[in-house]
Amino acid sequence: MDLVVSVFLPVSLGIIMLSLGLGLTVADFARIIRQPRAVVAGLFAQVVLLPIIVYGFVIAFGVSGELAFGFMLLAASPGGVTSNILTKLVGGTLALSISLTGLISLLSVITVPLLVVFWAGLFLDTGDATINVTGLALTMFAITAVPVAIGMIIRAVATGLAGRIEPVLSFVAAVLFVVIVIGAVAASWDVLVANWTTLAPMTALMVLCLLALGWIIARVIGLPVPDRAAIGMETGIQNSTVAITLAGILHAGPEALPVIALPAAMYGILMYLGALPGGYLMYRAARGAA
């Protein structure tokens, strides 16, 4: 089990983040200056409002303890490659989606440890006493920021190589994502069965609300429809692999994938129940605006 937590999960997440970095360029981050309103709106929706909305769902559905902390761990995690793919499919601004994914992934080195300590103190008996903020920040840096930076460097200095290995790494990343999600669900199967009627509708409805949240914020500040779709997807689609990996690292028990990983694993499956109808509405709006 120690090998799963210390080797398999971090390496798998590193590969997934490396595949993300291969799709990023310095120009993607330069959009922060060229499109400040869109980027600030995306950051505000995902970093500030998203955790508040998820907390509201946790309270409304009566979820507590480790499951509640698991949902908040998911809310603290950045977006992932899936949000970029879905943004493209619904006709959103792919460049904005990629920029937000990359920026928030790098910011997560700071935001995730702080949020984890806060939510642990609220929902777990141990509170924040057992969480080393500096150590967690260094871990986040090693398993997220470093692979992304390596991917960007490869893309910059060896564009041809990046183009050849990106599809392979994307496929490997997708396989690893499926394996991690299935493993987390299997590890907490009894808890899932006992709470299915609460967790399943909560997760699907939560995704729909978060998609709408991103869209509405972008609309309020007057962004075009494609930008609304990008921000909506970035807000609604989180990187559940980050949350599952952190759950394994934070847990001190013998289980490789503890109960706190279950919400992220469920989300990895059920997010599509919310993303499909929400994405369809975004697609129709983007087609109508074209």
Side-chain angles (χ1 to χ4, degrees):
M1 291 302 183
D2 288 342
L3 285 177
V4 174
V5 176
S6 62
V7 178
F8 179 74
L9 286 176
V11 169
S12 298
L13 180 58
I15 292 173
I16 292 170
M17 299 308 291
L18 177 63
S19 69
L20 170 63
L22 286 171
L24 288 170
T25 65
V26 175
D28 293 320
F29 292 96
R31 292 187 185 91
I32 298 170
I33 299 174
R34 297 199 304 270
Q35 297 177 291
R37 281 199 311 154
V39 173
V40 170
L43 285 172
F44 181 70
Q46 191 167 351
V47 177
V48 178
L49 294 183
L50 187 154
I52 295 174
I53 297 298
V54 175
Y55 176 74
F57 270 90
V58 166
I59 299 302
F61 279 80
V63 180
S64 60
E66 291 183 312
L67 287 175
F69 178 70
F71 274 107
M72 300 318 303
L73 190 60
L74 174 66
S77 301
V81 179
T82 304
S83 62
N84 304 152
I85 296 173
L86 292 176
T87 295
K88 183 177 181 180
L89 289 176
V90 303
T93 307
L94 181 59
L96 175 59
S97 176
I98 292 173
S99 300
L100 285 171
T101 298
L103 179 60
I104 295 174
S105 294
L106 295 178
L107 287 177
S108 67
V109 173
I110 299 172
T111 59
V112 169
L114 295 176
L115 288 171
V116 164
V117 168
F118 176 78
W119 297 122
L122 197 60
F123 289 114
L124 299 181
D125 292 337
T126 55
D128 61 5
T130 60
I131 299 177
N132 184 327
V133 178
T134 302
L136 186 56
L138 292 174
T139 299
M140 283 297 300
F141 179 77
I143 63 179
T144 58
V146 170
V148 168
I150 292 173
M152 291 182 65
I153 291 170
I154 294 174
R155 171 76 178 266
V157 302
T159 306
L161 175 62
R164 290 193 298 272
I165 65 176
E166 184 178 5
V168 177
L169 271 182
S170 295
F171 175 77
V172 172
V175 172
L176 290 172
F177 168 74
V178 172
V179 170
I180 290 171
V181 167
I182 292 175
V185 169
S188 302
W189 181 255
D190 291 341
V191 178
L192 174 61
V193 172
N195 295 275
W196 175 258
T197 54
T198 297
L199 298 182
M202 171 184 168
T203 303
L205 183 60
M206 185 176 71
V207 173
L208 269 175
C209 288
L210 291 173
L211 289 171
L213 171 69
W215 178 280
I216 291 170
I217 289 175
R219 181 177 180 178
V220 166
I221 66 172
L223 294 177
V225 170
D227 286 357
R228 298 177 201 171
I231 293 175
M233 282 298 174
E234 285 298 313
T235 307
I237 306 301
Q238 301 304 107
N239 192 337
S240 56
T241 310
V242 172
I244 294 172
T245 303
L246 286 175
I249 292 171
L250 291 170
H251 186 65
E255 306 92 349
L257 292 172
V259 171
I260 58 175
L262 180 59
M266 281 191 59
Y267 173 87
I269 300 171
L270 297 179
M271 66 180 179
Y272 296 104
L273 294 181
L276 287 176
Y280 175 70
L281 293 175
M282 290 181 183
Y283 174 76
R284 290 197 56 180
R287 286 285 299 272

